[in-house]
Amino acid sequence: MTNVGLLYVGAVLFVNGLLLIGVIPGKSAAILNFFVGAMQVVFPTIVLSQAAGDTAVILGASGLYLFGFTYLYVGFNQVFDLPGEGLGWFSLFVAFCAVVFAVLQFTAVGDPVFGVIWLLWAVLWFLFFLVLGLNKEHLTIFTGWFTAIVAHVTGTIPALFLLAGAYAPTAAAAWAVAAGGVISLAVAFVMARRTWRPTASPGMPAEVAA
C-alpha cells in the first residue's frame, strides 16, 4: 500500500508544482490534495495497526503522515483561502524529519536510494518553508518548477519500479536519483528565470508572479 501511496505522492507534488507556477487554480489542486492526503493518513494507520511491534514496518509507515498532513493542510488552505505561514513552518518540521529519515535509510535500513530521496524531500520542504513560512516570494516560481520535476524523481519513477518488482537499493541507483535531483534543481532554475514576472499577470496571483 505504501508503494501505491508513493505513486500518488508523485502525482500530487506535480500538481502542487503547477499550482505554485500559476498553471492550476488553488481550489482545483485542493481536490487531489484531499484525496492523497487522506490516503497518506489512512494507509499508514492500517499498516501500523498490523505492525505487531515490527520497528522496520513502523519506521516505514510513520513518515507517510508527514506527507498526509502536508497535503491536507494544502487542501484546506486553498479551499478556505487561508494564509500559508502555518503550512510553511510545518514544512520546516517536515524538512528536519526528512533529514532524520534519510540518515536512518542510509544506516539502519541500508537503502541508499531512499536515503537520497528523503534528502531531496528535505530540500523541497525547506523551500516550502522559505516560500510560505518566511514569505520569500521570489522563490515561488523556482520552487514550483522544482516541485513539478522532482515529483517524478522521488515519487512516480521509484513507485513504478517498486510496483513492477524491479526496485534495487543499489549505490548506482542512489547516484542516479541524486543526479536526477541535481538536474531538477538546474532545470527549475532555468525555467524560473524564463517565467519570472516582476508584477502579477492577469489571472495569476501576485505571490506567484513575484
Side-chain angles (χ1 to χ4, degrees):
M1 289 191 296
T2 55
N3 297 343
V4 174
L6 183 62
L7 180 66
Y8 286 97
V9 165
V12 75
L13 284 178
F14 177 65
V15 168
N16 287 344
L18 298 179
L19 168 64
L20 287 170
I21 296 168
V23 174
I24 296 177
K27 287 183 172 59
S28 178
I31 298 172
L32 186 60
N33 276 275
F34 282 130
F35 285 152
V36 179
M39 177 190 297
Q40 298 292 62
V41 170
V42 172
F43 277 13
T45 301
I46 295 173
V47 171
L48 289 176
S49 70
Q50 301 173 349
D54 188 324
T55 55
V57 174
I58 293 171
L59 174 65
S62 60
L64 298 179
Y65 287 108
L66 297 172
F67 299 105
F69 293 147
T70 296
Y71 305 138
L72 291 174
Y73 213 144
V74 171
F76 282 113
N77 276 7
Q78 295 304 316
V79 168
F80 296 104
D81 195 25
L82 301 175
E85 286 82 359
L87 175 58
W89 283 95
F90 175 69
S91 296
L92 179 62
F93 171 79
V94 175
F96 171 78
C97 290
V99 172
V100 175
F101 276 101
V103 172
L104 291 173
Q105 290 292 325
F106 283 120
T107 56
V109 179
D111 188 337
V113 176
F114 269 89
V116 174
I117 287 174
W118 275 105
L119 287 177
L120 289 174
W121 284 334
V123 172
L124 180 58
W125 260 257
F126 186 73
L127 285 171
F128 293 156
F129 163 66
L130 293 178
V131 171
L132 299 171
L134 299 185
N135 295 310
K136 301 293 185 181
E137 297 179 349
H138 62 284
L139 294 174
T140 302
I141 298 297
F142 168 75
T143 302
W145 278 109
F146 181 60
T147 304
I149 300 168
V150 85
H152 306 302
V153 175
T154 62
T156 310
I157 296 173
L160 292 174
F161 273 94
L162 285 163
L163 291 169
Y167 175 76
T170 63
W175 280 110
V177 174
V182 172
I183 292 171
S184 299
L185 285 168
V187 173
F189 177 78
V190 172
M191 296 304 297
R193 296 273 295 182
R194 291 182 177 181
T195 57
W196 182 83
R197 297 289 185 272
T199 57
S201 300
M204 181 183 295
E207 63 270 18
V208 174

